[in-house]
Amino acid sequence: MNNKICSGCGALIQFKDEALSGFIDEEVYNKRLEEGKEILCKRCFNLKHYNNIIKTCISDNEFLDIVKTNITSDMLICYIVDSFDLEGSFIYDINKIFPNNKILLIANKYDLFMRSNRPTKIKKYIQSFLDDNNVKVDGISVTSSKDSESSSKLYETINKIIEAFKLSNN
């Protein structure tokens, strides 16, 4: 076996089981390695080039191990939650998973709320939810993937946090 990892998801590259994460055909792997090309597992390759998702068998613990392996303490965690399903999309022990990282909570789908619900109102609700669950974040951003203006503001917020805390921009 080799010690290469997929540059897309961070899974350990393997050649035996297509149903498991990190699978790539060994001939394709060797060819891409010879040509100096990016090494992507089959799932990430299909996602990147064909926008096609292949399901893999991976446990929550395996996923967290992959994430933890690829995250350093000088990185900002941009944690995206569903504004309409905050409790269902929330990881309650995010501070335990990333104890040394700055965390920006991004509440998506703002465009689906009634116009009377301003971002400040949603931020207050989210902050109350965080306080009730003893979760600390370094910022809250309310955004919509459909709105280019809120996407631009989010990008600015991310850059401000990275600069303020001298974090890695990888």
Side-chain angles (χ1 to χ4, degrees):
M1 193 62 182
N2 62 75
N3 61 358
K4 279 289 201 176
I5 60 169
C6 171
S7 63
C9 66
L12 192 63
I13 294 294
Q14 55 94 10
F15 311 115
K16 295 183 182 191
D17 192 342
E18 227 174 312
L20 296 177
S21 62
F23 175 80
I24 185 172
D25 181 271
E26 194 166 5
E27 289 178 25
V28 172
Y29 171 82
N30 290 329
K31 184 177 179 187
R32 293 190 71 76
L33 199 59
E34 272 181 33
E35 295 172 351
K37 292 186 176 176
E38 181 180 43
I39 304 295
L40 292 171
C41 68
K42 185 175 181 179
R43 180 181 183 277
C44 289
F45 183 85
N46 280 307
L47 182 60
K48 180 177 182 177
H49 295 284
Y50 303 110
N51 202 26
N52 182 21
I53 298 175
I54 298 172
K55 291 189 179 194
T56 59
C57 302
I58 185 169
S59 71
D60 291 347
N61 288 336
E62 287 173 312
F63 174 76
L64 285 175
D65 286 343
I66 290 169
V67 170
K68 287 178 184 178
T69 301
N70 291 290
I71 300 294
T72 59
S73 62
D74 68 338
M75 292 180 176
L76 173 66
I77 304 299
C78 293
Y79 175 43
I80 303 171
V81 296
D82 183 338
S83 295
F84 276 90
D85 187 21
L86 186 58
E87 290 183 19
S89 62
F90 197 77
I91 300 172
Y92 291 87
D93 56 354
I94 188 132
N95 293 126
K96 290 178 186 169
I97 297 169
F98 304 109
N100 302 314
N101 292 87
K102 299 296 179 189
I103 299 172
L104 172 63
L105 186 135
I106 303 167
N108 195 17
K109 299 184 183 176
Y110 170 68
D111 59 302
L112 299 178
F113 282 99
M114 293 179 0
R115 290 183 188 245
S116 61
N117 290 311
R118 299 281 178 223
T120 52
K121 186 176 182 180
I122 296 169
K123 281 182 183 180
K124 283 182 184 179
Y125 168 75
I126 292 171
Q127 187 59 60
S128 174
F129 176 84
L130 294 171
D131 292 343
D132 290 347
N133 290 286
N134 296 317
V135 175
K136 305 288 185 238
V137 297
D138 299 284
I140 299 171
S141 185
V142 177
T143 189
S144 165
S145 60
K146 290 186 173 186
D147 177 14
S148 62
E149 185 179 325
S150 70
S151 297
S152 295
K153 287 180 185 176
L154 175 59
Y155 181 75
E156 289 173 20
T157 300
I158 291 169
N159 281 328
K160 284 179 186 176
I161 292 173
I162 288 172
E163 289 175 20
F165 294 103
K166 297 176 178 49
L167 302 174
S168 169
N169 60 0
N170 292 332

